[in-house]
Amino acid sequence: MHSLLELFQAKIEAPFAVIAVREVNEVLTDIEYLPRGAAPLKPQTRFAREVCRQLRAYLHDPAFVFDLPFQVSGTAFQKKVWMRVRAIPAGRVLSYTEVARETRSAPRPVGGACGANRIPILIPCHRVVASRGIGGFMHARSGSPIAIKRWLLNHENPGCY
């Protein structure tokens, strides 16, 4: 059984969740949204401290550009979608259909790739929306994941969702 210190190297409070950070050898591997009210955890490593500094900078200024080494695990298709999504600037959105067209795929597999993203915010899948409406987030179509997506989109472009 893992202790919380083994699972995460930091947990910081955000307006929409507690953001948990996992890193291995100074490479970011995961960001998870924990429920508001989850206990924060001071950064346990120098690198986790830098990840938290950059996350806080983004929460203060949505145009902040991250400069962190990260590692993603996924299929070649997922990585292709994530690279495309990573290029969407703050305050802009693309539809699942537009990303599908650019990756020579279909909207549903693009949504699946976005749902499998382990580094949200850095790979901003919240910027991929349905043709009509906000779409899903983190394999959900309602509840707190959609509230998180709505918060992130409005943070980057007030009043858009």
Side-chain angles (χ1 to χ4, degrees), residues 62-118:
F64 177 81
V65 177
F66 289 92
D67 181 24
L68 295 167
F70 64 90
Q71 177 183 343
V72 292
S73 297
T75 66
F77 172 73
Q78 288 171 331
K79 290 177 181 180
K80 185 176 178 181
V81 169
W82 297 334
M83 281 187 58
R84 177 59 192 103
V85 169
R86 195 154 152 69
I88 303 170
R92 302 283 306 276
V93 296
L94 288 179
S95 70
Y96 294 101
T97 301
E98 290 169 316
V99 174
R101 192 175 312 124
E102 293 179 21
T103 57
R104 298 191 166 146
S105 180
R108 198 170 295 273
V110 167
C114 287
N117 173 19
R118 299 296 309 148

Side-chain angles (χ1 to χ4, degrees), residues 19-20 28-33 55 58 66 114 116-126 137-138 148 152:
I19 302 173
L28 183 62
T29 60
D30 293 271
I31 291 176
E32 290 186 31
Y33 300 129
L55 285 167
Y58 166 79
F66 289 92
C114 287
N117 173 19
R118 299 296 309 148
I119 310 177
I121 298 179
L122 260 72
I123 300 174
C125 286
H126 62 274
F137 193 55
M138 301 177 348
I148 291 169
L152 292 166

Side-chain angles (χ1 to χ4, degrees), residues 123-153:
I123 300 174
C125 286
H126 62 274
R127 296 178 190 155
V128 183
V129 298
S131 296
R132 290 184 208 89
I134 197 166
F137 193 55
M138 301 177 348
H139 295 300
R141 302 199 55 62
S142 63
S144 66
I146 300 306
I148 291 169
K149 182 174 185 172
R150 184 170 279 114
W151 190 96
L152 292 166
L153 289 169

Side-chain angles (χ1 to χ4, degrees), residues 17-51:
V18 171
I19 302 173
V21 172
R22 186 175 298 123
E23 55 108 341
V24 177
N25 299 323
E26 298 195 351
V27 174
L28 183 62
T29 60
D30 293 271
I31 291 176
E32 290 186 31
Y33 300 129
L34 304 178
R36 292 177 72 186
L41 175 67
K42 289 182 181 173
Q44 303 296 300
T45 65
R46 182 190 64 75
F47 182 73
R49 201 166 23 258
E50 178 60 16
V51 173

